[in-house]
């Protein structure tokens, strides 16, 4: 048995604290990556029941999945696709699309006009991420795109921070200033946009002055953030399994793949059916970090060689060390001199977004 448990009381507490912090700014809940591992359908229903009805996803397929749930919510696809078939599918399913080029705006406008429809869109401004969107310097092009495509209703204009989680605030402030320049230019030219938004979870906790009309939040709901947790958010998600086997191992016997661990004494080990195929001991790549962050990661890893730090699981409120390598489907745990039994529940700390989507999510 494996299940990812989500503590509804703790998640509800996080939602309440986030609402209080957001004030008058609309909250757009980001559901990318299977709602950061909490489950699309379950998390969306949880949020709607608490008055949050604006959602954002990162791909066309995610947008369509959410649309088919028929939850009567606003769905923003943040992928600024120029693929004509994708734009047509999203138009027909009332998905709010992201416009990142004049060409995609023109095509969508003509399609909406032919179908006698009004396409709801947000325009993306690239303030220095170099991914989707109009360059922040292309103000006239942005203005023309909004004014010339009369079958598009521009619900919002947004951008995205590249490093709001860094301690150094300089580049985040530069990006914000660039975005505000675009906002001011549009306002000076009598363009009224209902929602301007740029703040993600990290910026939400660090820069209240950057909230604007809406904030886009994902990891903040989970309390798993890369900045100081200044509002007491609780960490959400615990992988649960069971002890399926107990085994006595003699001193000198190898344990697990590659014989990486050898029993230093007679031991009793518990076998737990959880492994890297389930997302356990899998890390998000370090490529998102700057040089000093990588250096820090290397330093910590090197130090751990001499500290005998180990992975652990929790059984009956006691922590037990994982021994040997983590396998695809199993781990071994040292339970020597304990009263651990087969079928005992095992609790494993893990980020939900890493947990295999085939594992059931259970809101308790």
């Amino acid at each position: 048995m494996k299940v990812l448990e989500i503590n509804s009381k703790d998640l509800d507490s996080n939602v309440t604290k986030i609402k209080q912090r957001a004030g008058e700014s609309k909250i757009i809940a980001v559901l990318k990556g299977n709602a950061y591992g909490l489950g699309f359908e379950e998390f969306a229903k949880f949020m709607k029941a608490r008055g949050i009805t604006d959602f954002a996803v990162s791909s066309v397929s995610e947008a369509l999945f959410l649309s088919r749930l028929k939850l009567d919510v606003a769905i923003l696809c943040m992928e600024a696709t120029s693929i004509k078939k994708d734009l047509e599918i999203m138009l027909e399913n009332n998905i709010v699309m992201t416009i990142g080029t004049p060409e995609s705006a023109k095509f969508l406008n003509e399609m909406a006009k032919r179908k006698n429809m009004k396409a709801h869109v947000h325009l993306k401004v690239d303030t220095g991420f170099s991914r989707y969107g109009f360059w922040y310097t292309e103000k006239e092009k942005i203005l023309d795109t909004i004014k010339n495509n009369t079958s598009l209703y521009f619900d919002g204009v947004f951008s995205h921070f590249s490093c709001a989680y860094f301690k150094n605030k300089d580049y985040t402030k530069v990006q914000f200033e660039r975005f505000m320049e675009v906002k001011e230019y549009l306002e000076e030219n009598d363009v009224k946009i209902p929602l301007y938004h740029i703040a993600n979870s990290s910026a939400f906790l660090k820069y209240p002055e950057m909230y604007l009309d809406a904030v886009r939040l994902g990891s903040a709901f989970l309390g798993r953030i890369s900045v100081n947790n200044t509002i007491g958010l609780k960490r959400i998600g615990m992988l649960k399994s069971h002890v399926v086997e107990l085994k006595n191992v003699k001193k000198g016997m190898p344990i697990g793949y590659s014989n990486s661990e050898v029993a230093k004494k007679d031991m009793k080990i518990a076998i737990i059916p959880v492994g890297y195929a389930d997302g356990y001991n899998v890390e998000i790549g370090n490529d998102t970090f700057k040089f000093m962050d990588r250096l820090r990661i290397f330093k910590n890893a090197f130090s751990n060689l001499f500290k005998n730090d180990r992975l652990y699981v929790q059984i009956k409120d006691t922590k037990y060390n994982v021994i040997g390598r983590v396998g695809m489907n199993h781990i071994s745990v040292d339970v020597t001199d304990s009263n651990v039994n087969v079928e005992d529940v095992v609790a494993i700390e893990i980020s939900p977004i890493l947990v295999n989507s085939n594992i059931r999510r259970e809101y308790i």
Side-chain angles (χ1 to χ4, degrees), residues 35-64:
Y36 282 80
L38 298 186
F40 267 120
E41 183 172 359
E42 300 94 329
F43 187 67
K45 288 179 177 178
F46 190 96
M47 289 291 109
K48 186 180 179 184
R50 284 147 185 84
I52 296 175
T53 56
D54 286 81
F55 299 125
V57 295
S58 63
S59 69
V60 178
S61 59
E62 289 178 341
L64 290 174

Side-chain angles (χ1 to χ4, degrees), residues 20-272:
Q20 291 170 346
R21 175 88 168 189
E24 296 299 315
S25 297
K26 181 187 286 289
I27 296 172
I28 301 174
V30 180
L31 274 66
K32 65 181 181 180
N34 195 25
Y36 282 80
L38 298 186
F40 267 120
E41 183 172 359
E42 300 94 329
F43 187 67
K45 288 179 177 178
F46 190 96
M47 289 291 109
K48 186 180 179 184
R50 284 147 185 84
I52 296 175
T53 56
D54 286 81
F55 299 125
V57 295
S58 63
S59 69
V60 178
S61 59
E62 289 178 341
L64 290 174
F65 181 90
L66 192 55
S67 175
R68 293 186 187 111
L69 297 178
K70 300 187 181 304
L71 297 177
D72 191 26
V73 295
I75 305 167
L76 168 64
C77 179
M78 296 184 292
E79 180 181 77
T81 180
S82 295
I83 298 175
K84 295 178 180 180
K85 185 62 177 177
D86 287 346
L87 290 170
E88 184 175 15
I89 290 172
M90 288 193 286
L91 176 64
E92 292 172 349
N93 285 275
N94 298 313
I95 292 164
V96 181
M97 290 160 276
T98 293
I99 294 299
T101 66
E103 294 76 21
S104 61
K106 182 180 179 181
F107 173 79
L108 182 58
N109 183 69
E110 292 172 350
M111 183 195 305
K113 194 177 294 184
R114 286 197 308 272
K115 294 176 179 287
N116 196 28
M117 298 176 70
K118 198 80 169 180
H120 287 262
V121 302
H122 285 213
L123 184 140
K124 177 70 178 289
V125 178
D126 191 336
T127 54
F129 201 112
S130 301
R131 194 166 60 182
Y132 298 119
F134 294 78
W135 282 110
Y136 67 95
T137 55
E138 300 176 317
K139 296 181 182 67
E140 291 184 5
K141 189 180 290 186
I142 292 170
L143 179 64
D144 290 343
T145 298
I146 294 173
K147 287 195 168 184
N148 295 337
N149 295 289
T150 56
S151 289
L152 305 186
Y153 185 81
F154 288 84
D155 295 308
V157 172
F158 74 104
S159 189
H160 189 50
F161 289 127
S162 61
C163 54
Y165 50 88
F166 279 6
K167 286 185 178 180
N168 188 311
K169 302 177 181 180
D170 292 348
Y171 195 66
T172 298
K173 289 182 176 180
V174 166
Q175 283 191 272
F176 184 69
E177 289 167 3
R178 290 170 176 173
F179 187 63
M180 293 304 290
E181 288 173 8
V182 174
K183 180 177 183 293
E184 290 164 10
Y185 177 81
L186 292 176
E187 290 172 345
E188 288 169 0
N189 285 275
D190 299 320
V191 174
K192 293 179 173 58
I193 301 293
L195 294 178
Y196 284 91
H197 51 104
I198 189 172
N200 55 8
S201 289
S202 294
F204 177 73
L205 292 169
K206 291 178 65 177
Y207 306 108
E209 69 275 15
M210 299 182 184
Y211 288 2
L212 302 180
D213 302 301
V215 292
R216 301 188 309 273
L217 307 178
S219 57
F221 288 114
L222 282 73
R224 296 176 180 272
I225 47 181
S226 51
V227 298
N228 289 336
N229 187 351
T230 55
I231 59 174
L233 299 172
K234 300 178 185 296
R235 289 170 70 85
I236 304 300
M238 181 70 72
L239 184 61
K240 294 288 185 73
S241 187
H242 284 105
V243 176
V244 295
E245 192 71 48
L246 291 171
K247 189 175 188 67
N248 293 314
V249 177
K250 293 291 186 181
K251 179 180 178 180
M253 289 298 294
I255 300 170
Y257 284 111
S258 303
N259 296 349
S260 60
E261 183 116 13
V262 175
K264 296 180 176 61
K265 59 181 180 180
D266 289 353
M267 303 173 69
K268 180 170 73 171
I269 61 174
I271 310 301
I272 319 296

Side-chain angles (χ1 to χ4, degrees), residues 299-316:
K299 175 181 175 293
N300 290 340
F302 185 76
S303 297
N304 288 342
L305 292 175
F306 303 96
K307 291 160 66 172
N308 199 28
D309 284 357
R310 288 183 178 275
L311 299 170
Y312 68 86
V313 301
Q314 189 166 302
I315 307 172
K316 295 180 180 178

Side-chain angles (χ1 to χ4, degrees), residues 324-348:
R325 287 194 176 183
V326 174
M328 179 180 283
N329 303 111
H330 295 89
I331 54 175
S332 300
V333 176
D334 182 4
V335 294
T336 306
D337 299 327
S338 75
N339 63 345
V340 170
N341 299 302
V342 170
E343 295 190 7
D344 281 349
V345 175
V346 180
I348 302 171

